[in-house]
Amino acid sequence: MRVLILGGTTEARRLAELLHRTPGLTLTSSLAGRVASPRLPPGEVRIGGFGGVEGLTAWLGEHRVDALIDATHPFAGTISFHAALAAATAHVPLLALRRPGWVPVAGDDWREVGSLEEAATLLPTLGHRVFLTTGRMGLAAFAALDDLWFLVRSVDAPEAPHPPRMEVLLDRGPFTLDGERELLRRHRVDVVVTKDSGGDATAPKLTAAREAGLPVVVVRRPPVPEGVPVVGEPEEAVRWIRDRRTFPAAG
Ligand SMILES: NC(=O)c1ccc[n+]([C@@H]2O[C@H](COP(=O)([O-])OP(=O)(O)OC[C@H]3O[C@@H](n4cnc5c(N)ncnc54)[C@H](OP(=O)(O)O)[C@@H]3O)[C@@H](O)[C@H]2O)c1
């Protein structure tokens, strides 16, 4: 049985860890190649785009893929639609592994918006010192906000266009609550911007913001393709694959 995981997330790596020694299963993880030194999953890895829906469809056929797992980030909207179309065309079963979104709790002051552009429009009404955690792509949306100061945290250095007044913090999760508290305090942050990425690794900033009474602008997730089964945990994806398997049970 041959499985292709579309990855770039903690969950995709975890799934590869769970599957890669399974007898009778050939596994390939695919990364887009956005990050200069990605954390690689175990097993075979390919890096780079497929060349749209046609390219992915061809790849599925040429490599005789039996099951496709879309374990990409909730904000990687394009590849998820490509996966749905390619899987349907190539008649390959598809499962989406998508971590659940965050849910506000008592004391949170969240402002939900539909896009980075909407977040940028709202920001001047909320504060002056912004902790921007939406990644290095999409900073152009904030480039005209020259009255605000930004602390931009990203894995790789951002490129222009970006806000004129910014400090860049190169780092990647998981982050700790103590670390996030200290960051907000040290930089005198008065508003936080995040995508609704979900997951534990980057959630402590939400707790730290709540404790400090800061507003958080939360960018809602983009739409997902209809009709694709979704699970939230890598272990559930393993069970889904096993239900389709023609390979011997592990261990
Ligand atoms: N967007 C985020 O906030 C975010 C955060 C953390 C990690 N990531 C990861 O970074 C990758 C790129 O994100 P994005 O927002 O640029 O995605 P996207 O907008 O959905 O995809 C753009 C293009 O990148 C290629 N691509 C995306 N994921 C791929 C994968 N796993 N393997 C091979 N090609 C892939 C595809 O190129 P072709 O059309 O040429 O096939 C796709 O059309 C994703 O895999 C995602 O899991 C994204």
Side-chain angles (χ1 to χ4, degrees), residues 6 31 51 53 57 73 77-78 109 122 154 159 179 184-185 192 198 216 234 239-240 245:
L6 302 173
L31 303 178
V53 179
T57 308
H73 192 271
T78 307
D109 178 10
L122 192 60
S154 58
E159 290 161 16
L184 297 183
R185 194 196 56 74
V192 177
V216 181
R239 281 198 289 278
W240 181 87
R245 61 172 243 210

Side-chain angles (χ1 to χ4, degrees), residues 105-128:
V105 300
D108 277 326
D109 178 10
W110 286 16
R111 320 294 169 101
E112 293 193 27
V113 295
S115 65
L116 293 176
E117 289 71 22
E118 231 183 286
T121 305
L122 192 60
L123 268 181
T125 67
L126 297 175
H128 294 94

Side-chain angles (χ1 to χ4, degrees), residues 198-223:
D200 297 335
T202 58
K205 65 187 166 195
L206 301 171
T207 309
R210 184 190 319 129
E211 288 176 358
L214 302 184
V216 181
V217 181
V218 180
V219 182
R220 280 191 297 270
R221 294 179 169 199

